[in-house]
Amino acid sequence: MLVDSHCHLDLIKNSNPETLVADAQAQGVSYFLTVAINLDHVPTLLDITQRMDNVYTSVGIHPTTDPDLTVDVDTLINLADDAKVIAIGETGLDYFRNEGDLSWQQQRFRRHIQAAKEIDKPLIIHTRDAAEDTLRILSEENAAAVGGIMHCFVENWEVAQKAMDMGFYISFSGIVTFKSAKQIQDVAKKMPLDRMLVETDSPYLAPVPYRGKTNQPAYVRHVAEYIANLRQDSFDNIAQATTNNFLQLNSKYIKV
């Protein structure tokens, strides 16, 4: 059994969600979290989750989305008032190719954390070239009260440790399979098995042997297989542990 802990079913072109889920289920994927990057996407994502069991969603605004787009805590809370919404995000900080005053990202990030705490749902964190500020804001806003997922992790072991100390799981995407991803591979080797998740971030970041192609949830199997080989562990052990971790994180909202 596997989980794709982070995908974007609504963004995968030339495919419909039912087919994508069926193809993934044929590879042993049993649960899916299709993640919002903009509040305009939420109705579509909720519709997808209502059509299929074991597909869940989130409410949030990706940190690189329109700087002029503001959101208040109450709006996030109201949109998340659905049994199929199990997280707030993706949210966080992304300083890559972003210059100047980025306080708007930080303010929006804080509102997401505040909303998550109000409704006791975990966070989905995106961070790129912003690890120090991401960890600082998580600490200042007491994000440990809800924890969550450090999605598509690309930072070093020290950052992973600090995030885990605040109750976050570390999720590995297809990037871990890339030859150049030595730092991420090192983290994957060191990770406590009970704090690890796997994901696709589809349609992005397809793992080897599909690198450069459109990613899809079925390919999460390749991420788990690569990590198993990296850690000299069995695929079954990695698959079961990461599934258990996802279910544990979301035990209030997913009844097995």
Side-chain angles (χ1 to χ4, degrees):
M1 187 186 298
L2 282 163
V3 171
D4 187 351
S5 68
H6 192 113
C7 59
H8 302 282
L9 292 175
D10 60 323
L11 300 181
I12 303 174
K13 295 179 180 179
N14 302 318
S15 297
N16 67 69
E18 284 85 355
T19 299
L20 292 165
V21 167
D23 289 346
Q25 288 172 333
Q27 294 298 317
V29 187
S30 298
Y31 296 91
F32 306 80
L33 178 51
T34 182
V35 175
I37 60 171
N38 195 320
L39 300 188
D40 290 345
H41 292 221
V42 172
T44 298
L45 293 171
L46 282 172
D47 179 64
I48 290 170
T49 67
Q50 297 302 328
R51 300 201 308 264
M52 290 177 284
D53 293 335
N54 294 347
V55 179
Y56 299 86
T57 192
S58 66
V59 166
I61 303 175
H62 190 283
T64 62
T65 299
D66 187 359
D68 295 326
L69 183 61
T70 60
V71 64
D72 57 70
V73 173
D74 287 343
T75 297
L76 292 168
I77 290 172
N78 290 336
L79 285 171
D81 186 21
D82 188 286
K84 281 298 192 84
V85 175
I86 62 172
I88 295 294
E90 64 187 277
T91 183
L93 302 174
D94 191 321
Y95 295 169
F96 182 69
R97 293 179 183 165
N98 286 283
E99 299 178 350
D101 182 9
L102 296 176
S103 60
W104 60 271
Q105 275 196 19
Q106 297 180 11
Q107 291 166 2
R108 203 158 68 185
F109 184 25
R110 290 180 188 276
R111 293 189 190 106
H112 281 76
I113 300 171
Q114 291 160 12
K117 292 194 303 181
E118 284 283 337
I119 57 178
D120 194 25
K121 293 188 177 183
L123 288 152
I124 301 170
I125 305 299
H126 170 110
T127 181
R128 188 175 188 188
D129 291 355
E132 183 177 348
D133 280 353
T134 299
L135 291 171
R136 176 179 57 82
I137 290 173
L138 287 172
S139 177
E140 289 174 353
E141 295 292 338
N142 190 29
V146 290
I149 302 171
M150 301 297 288
H151 127 78
C152 192
F153 192 79
V154 294
E155 305 296 337
N156 61 28
W157 176 236
E158 181 182 3
V159 174
Q161 287 179 302
K162 290 179 178 178
M164 287 188 288
D165 287 344
M166 286 188 278
F168 283 82
Y169 290 81
I170 308 299
S171 184
F172 296 93
S173 70
I175 293 176
V176 75
T177 71
F178 300 172
K179 288 183 178 179
S180 60
K182 301 302 181 184
Q183 176 176 275
I184 306 167
Q185 291 162 6
D186 179 64
V187 175
K189 288 180 183 178
K190 293 177 179 178
M191 276 295 300
L193 197 52
D194 64 353
R195 305 304 297 175
M196 180 189 295
L197 295 171
V198 289
E199 64 172 87
T200 60
D201 199 18
S202 50
Y204 315 109
L205 304 173
V208 174
Y210 299 101
R211 186 174 182 182
K213 299 181 179 180
T214 300
N215 203 1
Q216 59 178 283
Y219 297 166
V220 75
R221 185 179 186 93
H222 294 279
V223 179
E225 287 175 341
Y226 185 90
I227 291 174
N229 183 64
L230 192 68
R231 292 169 64 99
Q232 297 184 317
D233 202 343
S234 71
F235 165 76
D236 287 345
N237 197 37
I238 297 298
Q240 190 61 58
T242 52
T243 298
N244 289 344
N245 294 342
F246 181 82
L247 295 175
Q248 176 64 34
L249 174 64
N250 298 291
S251 61
K252 295 178 183 177
Y253 313 106
I254 299 178
K255 303 305 179 184
V256 181

